Amino acid sequence: MFNDFKLKDDSPVYVQLKDYIKDMIVNGHLLAHQKLPSTRELSRLLVVSRNTVLNAYAELEQDGMIYAVKGKGNFVGNVTTLKTAAIEFDWKTKLNKETLLADELDLIRQDLHWQRGMISFTSIAPEEKLFDVENFKRAFLTRMSIEGDIVLNYGYAKGYKPLIDYLLRYMEVKGVDISNKDILITNGFTEGLDIFLSSIAKKTGRVLCENPTHHAALKLFRLHGLDIHGFDMTDHGIDIDQVEKSLAELTYDFAYLIPSYHNPTGIVTSSEKRNAIIQLFSKHQIPIVEDGFNEELRYSSAHLAPLIAFSGAGNNVVYISSFSKILFPGLRVGWILADKELIACLESMKRARTIHTSTLDQAVLYQYLQDSYFEKYLKKARAVYKKKYELARQACNQYIPFSRMTGDGGLHLFIELEEGVDARRLLKKCYTKGVVFYPGDVFFTNGLGSNTLRLGFSRLSDEDIVHGIQMIGDTLKNDMGS
Amino acid sequence: MFNDFKLKDDSPVYVQLKDYIKDMIVNGHLLAHQKLPSTRELSRLLVVSRNTVLNAYAELEQDGMIYAVKGKGNFVGNVTTLKTAAIEFDWKTKLNKETLLADELDLIRQDLHWQRGMISFTSIAPEEKLFDVENFKRAFLTRMSIEGDIVLNYGYAKGYKPLIDYLLRYMEVKGVDISNKDILITNGFTEGLDIFLSSIAKKTGRVLCENPTHHAALKLFRLHGLDIHGFDMTDHGIDIDQVEKSLAELTYDFAYLIPSYHNPTGIVTSSEKRNAIIQLFSKHQIPIVEDGFNEELRYSSAHLAPLIAFSGAGNNVVYISSFSKILFPGLRVGWILADKELIACLESMKRARTIHTSTLDQAVLYQYLQDSYFEKYLKKARAVYKKKYELARQACNQYIPFSRMTGDGGLHLFIELEEGVDARRLLKKCYTKGVVFYPGDVFFTNGLGSNTLRLGFSRLSDEDIVHGIQMIGDTLKNDMGS
């Protein structure tokens, strides 16, 4: 740039320079608000006196072609240039159906917008007032002082080694045989599931799951064009007899299960059933994707081991989890624990798609766990959530005429109303009274569940929990006739 | 769990309790190293005396079924349980061809492993010694004190609002008309490109790009099954005549271009050519994906505006960039600047796949930019890299018998050796002398470039730059015959 400046005639150099720059501006080679070289720099570059440049800039400023900012230098002004006639695509015609579907699925639940002051049971995100910000800062400063420069540079696709080692040990203590397994760090649970879905061969194109189940997983299944087969939830987990009947006739690419504090029902699959599930799917050679969702949120100190522990030295379970439902979801850190060879392939996919997960997030999370701030925080969080949980249960029992309520722990309860009661209609009525919840139908694989709703209580005060549930109950009893 | 404990006979309660627990352990309902309820808790739960539980635990410990950890409680021992016979999948048979391809493409460059003490020209990552860790810490602490709890909780798929606003203004100053445009924050450039590739309809299945070009982009194109058409690079950018000829016969889903400090050639596309490119692709209604790669690494204060600025109010350019080549690649933050309607759809894809990019990374980066630490850092970094750049250029001129050298700035140079000289053979020989570089063929769309190499100098000392380049030159002159 500027290096093709040549003297054309014997008119003053500064005039020729001015015209040369003016020309570049009107031809769009220099654009509005773009910085010009300093006078010193340009005089050196063009081998002309600095005065020549100063004069040229002065003239350009008078012509309104450029403007000076004190202490910052000279900038190109807002000049209409000979730019291309702006072209306007209709981008929607250029996108594939999955993207338009994602857009559409996104809109589904945006019909009722939450507003300040409302009592919202929609969220199952952690209560940010509980966040242990001070110890998080400590963990950050510790890690930065140990290897700040490394934390800020490129890392490995597989993840931050100290965190991987920590999590392997963490899962081993849960009873998992990690001898033939490895961990890939992902941008939260969702990327973990998406990478798995992008990697597994769609031979039957069928996925087996609980019905209802996690709506974000359902969305990804649809985006990956999977044929979703949901099976009823009993109070102890998926209806294994239904599943067994189906497996006698059909096979599936994989099963997706949420054994602990299932989303949305909050049901915990019993150990007997966990055993039976592993037996059954092993017999039929079907891989299981286990969603570790909320596993940490146990309210009694003894806990069921994850499915992947029940499979022992087997490699048929792919365990995907994150701490996002308890600890700092703003940090997007999740992990896949699975067969070593599988992880190696998923790692290549991860590298190709997002290089690696934020080293900063991983390193600070590691330090926070390592300094056992996590255990302390978890104790506190459990006590708080347990209280809210019991309060919400009690209030539902007292105020809501349900036909079924499930939720063995975690951050939410699932309510089944009488047949025929429309939860979305109820939602509309409650909305006008300043109470919102999550309509249950979005969790169903087969369009059912119009009479169900999910109540997330993690971010509500005790008063709002009771008051909100009472309002829902009153609305049900009094306003649904009209 | 434990709630189905019933007294069977009149034998001591603690014995029946012991057997009950023992049974759960050997049946795998309680797993190795799993924590047992505290004696107080269990006695409450089963309505038996605490002594009964203490005795039962004591017996179990004697039997080696459980073990106690001082101050932590009782844990299940390592007991062989009646677990499922472990099942072993061959996962590779269950993965799709894209994943196996990603795995294979990954292996391509792992044949020669870099070792400590070697002079490596392979990296174009920033020099971490330059990192401004202290101001980064300041930015972190500032942001955390302002809204630490918000930063650590869920954010929005589109990104952290203050950062988006900052970047919109940042691009506006580069001459971009942002009136009809918006920004989506992604996990670095790579996720931005992957989301675009996942969203655009493959109508022709063809992508047009420079040849050679960014190998990570090539990898993603292949994973998305695109038919890649590369066009030669002149010293001022892509050979526009070649492109025009091709467009007369073929159409493409989109074009992918790197106008500034092109990877790997380091060429900067001239403003005349930028204008011509916009004209040509607009005429043929072909969208352009512009890779903003390294745009900030200009070594003279005046700079060419990005392609998206040349398209004015048009919406046919999708600009994807990040600061990763200069500033903290460990933070995975990139962005897509494009048409508002397009961004809304890409946002849904982003939400479905990774929820959102780390709020922590975005918030701290925002504060770092806002406090204008970035500008200061950039000044320093530019001065350092400019010196290395000039040093490397000079050394190549002096020592390497090349037929062509390109690189107008940035962090690397691209060398074309005499026809027939095999850069991989050269690499093997240099490797034995402790010098490695990036063989150029991986950047080519058509298997050519066996006589090319990329020299990244960003992380090397001045001495190593000169010494390493001299070694490459000497090897070329003396050892390639044998």
Side-chain angles (χ1 to χ4, degrees), chain A residues 1 27-29 31-37 41 83-84 86-96 99 102-103 106 125-126 128 131 133 136-137 140-141 144 149 151-154 173 175 180 187 190-191 194 198-201 203 219-220 223 271-272 275 278-279 282 285-287 300-305 309-310 313-316 318 324-325 328-332 339 341-342 344-345 348-349 351-361 375 459, chain B residues 1 27-29 31-37 41 72 83-84 86-96 99 102-103 106 125-126 128 131 133 136-137 140-141 144 149 151-154 173 175 180 187 190-191 194 198-201 203 219-220 223 271-272 275 278-279 282 285-287 300-305 309-310 312-316 318 324-325 328-332 339 341-342 344-345 348-349 351-361 459:
Chain A
M1 193 130 216
N27 285 292
H29 302 167
L31 295 177
H33 310 302
Q34 182 177 335
K35 191 172 187 305
L36 291 161
E41 203 171 1
K83 269 189 203 139
T84 330
I87 113 154
E88 276 285 342
F89 282 150
D90 174 5
W91 271 104
K92 293 229 172 192
T93 65
K94 294 194 173 290
L95 300 177
N96 56 31
T99 310
D103 193 37
D106 244 12
E128 45 203 40
F131 287 160
V133 175
F136 182 78
K137 283 191 200 165
F140 168 86
L141 292 171
M144 290 302 283
D149 51 354
V151 164
L152 294 177
N153 214 335
Y154 280 110
V173 172
N180 62 339
N187 296 313
T190 311
E191 192 199 33
D194 188 47
S198 312
S199 303
I200 186 131
K203 291 179 179 179
K219 192 205 274 186
L220 275 177
L223 293 183
S271 63
E272 293 73 9
N275 231 334
I278 291 294
Q279 305 271 5
S282 301
Q285 295 275 313
I286 294 172
S300 104
S301 74
H303 183 57
L304 287 172
F310 283 83
N315 71 350
N316 54 324
V318 176
S324 297
K325 286 292 170 294
F328 315 146
L331 272 66
R332 304 304 303 147
D339 173 77
E341 185 189 36
L342 174 61
C345 292
S348 302
M349 254 321 200
R351 181 179 291 108
R353 291 169 52 159
T354 61
I355 313 283
H356 64 71
T357 296
S358 164
T359 319
L360 175 68
D361 291 21
E375 277 175 40
R459 301 176 75 175
Chain B
M1 192 128 216
N27 285 292
H29 302 168
L31 295 177
H33 311 303
Q34 182 177 334
K35 191 171 187 306
L36 290 161
E41 203 171 0
K72 291 224 167 211
K83 269 191 204 139
T84 330
I87 115 154
E88 278 284 343
F89 282 150
D90 175 3
W91 271 104
K92 293 229 172 191
T93 65
K94 295 194 173 289
L95 300 177
N96 57 31
T99 309
D103 193 37
D106 244 13
E128 46 204 38
F131 287 160
V133 175
F136 182 79
K137 283 190 201 166
F140 168 86
L141 293 171
M144 290 303 282
D149 51 354
V151 163
L152 294 177
N153 214 336
Y154 280 110
V173 171
N180 62 340
N187 296 312
T190 311
E191 192 198 33
D194 187 46
S198 312
S199 304
I200 186 130
K203 291 178 180 177
K219 192 205 272 185
L220 276 177
L223 292 182
S271 61
E272 293 73 9
N275 231 334
I278 291 294
Q279 305 271 5
S282 301
Q285 295 274 313
I286 295 172
S300 106
S301 75
H303 184 57
L304 286 172
F310 284 83
N315 70 350
N316 53 325
V318 176
S324 297
K325 286 292 170 294
F328 314 146
L331 272 67
R332 304 305 303 145
D339 172 78
E341 185 188 35
L342 174 61
C345 292
S348 301
M349 258 311 202
R351 180 178 291 108
R353 291 170 53 159
T354 61
I355 312 284
H356 64 73
T357 296
S358 164
T359 319
L360 176 69
D361 291 21
R459 301 176 74 174

Side-chain angles (χ1 to χ4, degrees), chain A residues 443-457:
Chain A
F443 298 98
F444 281 78
T445 62
N446 50 1
L448 297 179
S450 64
N451 62 326
T452 62
L453 51 124
R454 189 186 73 178
L455 297 176
F457 47 75

Side-chain angles (χ1 to χ4, degrees), chain A residues 301-328:
Chain A
S301 74
H303 183 57
L304 287 172
L307 285 170
I308 192 169
F310 283 83
S311 81
N315 71 350
N316 54 324
V317 180
V318 176
Y319 178 92
I320 310 178
S321 193
S322 87
F323 294 134
S324 297
K325 286 292 170 294
I326 317 142
L327 191 70
F328 315 146

Side-chain angles (χ1 to χ4, degrees), chain A residues 399-413:
Chain A
Y399 299 114
I400 298 184
F402 54 76
S403 62
R404 184 188 184 198
M405 171 169 69
T406 52
D408 303 325
L411 304 173
H412 63 277
L413 293 168

